[in-house]
Amino acid sequence: TKLCMKKAVQDNVLSREWLWKDYLVDSLHVQSIIASHLLNDDNFIRLVNFTSRETLMIHTHRDESRRVASAVKQISESICQFMGKEYSKQQQTTTKFNVRKNNTHCILDEGSFVTEISANSAEVGFSTHSLLTCKSYKAIQDNASQLVFVHYKQLDKLQKLLAKHHCPEILGELPIKANVAEEKSLKVLLHKKGTDEARNSVDLEEWLHAKGPAMEWTLKLRRDASCQAKTYHMEDELFACPDETLRVTPAGIDRW
């Protein structure tokens, strides 16, 4: 967005109401594209209720279980690299998670790490079900907003489509990859406290494959979920579409 609009708005501006007036008065020509996280259904409902008929909202969607697994990996990386305000105090983080690391491997205490996940904060807390709730679906039905859901893997195509209409001069520079998680080389392992680290450690990828299906209900990560059936039906249609793009309408929500 910054490259296309030649200027960046504040991060997560759509979730921070106190920034909206600054966005409006900053320039005569406001930006025609805004990219932002929405942190909860209140943020989403506010947009649905108050945007004009000419405003198109595009929600990038991901299966929740896969999103949680990705979030867990991101948290492990932040702990191992002592990144972010939660983990930047190296000694405190090392003690809390019993961090042992070298240039290629990082070992964390399984119990402490699971407790961190169960707090449902940081990356894990930015969930699909906290955004797409019964209240959200009702707001869409009541307002008939111009809303499209796009699978997150289609972001490259979305960038090019937006650039074609808003900033064609940068088409040659696209796509821009913002998430480089797949390129990270540090291997994270979990071990049980009080056991031998080498023989009783398991790769985080293997741990997620074995425990991922049970993790969401044992840790109550979906504790605030509602109208999940509608989300499942929406996903069936979205993922079945060759372009993985779906226009959301009141009639569609009724069908779900």
Side-chain angles (χ1 to χ4, degrees), residues 56-206:
L56 174 64
M57 291 177 285
I58 303 173
H59 166 67
T60 55
H61 186 78
R62 186 176 191 178
D63 171 79
E64 178 62 11
S65 295
R66 290 183 173 86
R67 189 204 64 81
V68 168
S70 178
V72 168
K73 295 175 190 177
Q74 181 61 48
I75 291 173
S76 73
E77 181 74 19
S78 296
I79 293 171
C80 289
Q81 301 289 8
F82 308 113
M83 298 187 303
K85 63 180 181 180
E86 299 94 339
Y87 314 116
S88 60
K89 296 180 180 179
Q90 186 168 335
Q91 185 58 51
Q92 180 178 314
T93 300
T94 298
T95 301
K96 181 177 179 179
F97 298 99
N98 195 22
V99 179
R100 300 291 183 271
K101 61 177 289 189
N102 56 27
N103 291 333
T104 59
H105 291 73
C106 176
I107 303 176
L108 307 175
D109 171 59
E110 181 186 32
S112 301
F113 186 63
V114 167
T115 298
E116 191 73 3
I117 297 171
S118 68
N120 206 20
S121 57
E123 294 290 330
V124 172
F126 300 145
S127 60
T128 298
H129 55 258
S130 65
L131 188 67
L132 300 179
T133 62
C134 291
K135 292 192 300 180
S136 298
Y137 285 119
K138 186 177 187 305
I140 298 169
Q141 288 180 300
D142 290 345
N143 293 275
S145 308
Q146 300 293 323
L147 178 62
V148 172
F149 283 8
V150 179
H151 192 283
Y152 83 104
K153 288 188 175 180
Q154 301 300 324
L155 284 179
D156 288 355
K157 292 181 181 179
L158 178 60
Q159 285 185 35
K160 292 178 180 178
L161 182 61
L162 291 174
K164 179 181 178 181
H165 293 280
H166 294 270
C167 44
E169 70 277 5
I170 71 165
L171 278 169
E173 302 177 50
L174 300 177
I176 298 171
K177 301 288 187 181
N179 190 347
V180 295
E182 296 179 357
E183 301 175 6
K184 295 172 183 175
S185 59
L186 190 67
K187 183 181 288 292
V188 179
L189 302 100
L190 302 180
H191 74 91
K192 293 186 180 297
K193 194 171 184 177
T195 63
D196 179 80
E197 292 177 2
R199 289 183 299 175
N200 293 283
S201 298
V202 60
D203 185 281
L204 180 60
E205 292 279 0
E206 182 181 349

Side-chain angles (χ1 to χ4, degrees), residues 11-77:
D11 288 343
N12 302 329
V13 64
L14 298 181
S15 297
R16 299 172 175 176
E17 189 172 350
W18 63 90
L19 295 173
W20 295 354
K21 186 179 292 185
D22 290 340
Y23 163 77
L24 181 65
V25 304
D26 184 55
S27 172
L28 175 61
H29 302 287
V30 296
Q31 294 185 203
S32 57
I33 303 175
I34 299 176
S36 174
H37 285 98
L38 296 178
L39 305 183
N40 52 54
D41 60 350
D42 287 338
N43 298 154
F44 186 73
I45 291 167
R46 190 181 297 116
L47 280 178
V48 169
N49 285 346
F50 301 130
T51 49
S52 69
R53 294 182 66 179
E54 291 75 30
T55 300
L56 174 64
M57 291 177 285
I58 303 173
H59 166 67
T60 55
H61 186 78
R62 186 176 191 178
D63 171 79
E64 178 62 11
S65 295
R66 290 183 173 86
R67 189 204 64 81
V68 168
S70 178
V72 168
K73 295 175 190 177
Q74 181 61 48
I75 291 173
S76 73
E77 181 74 19

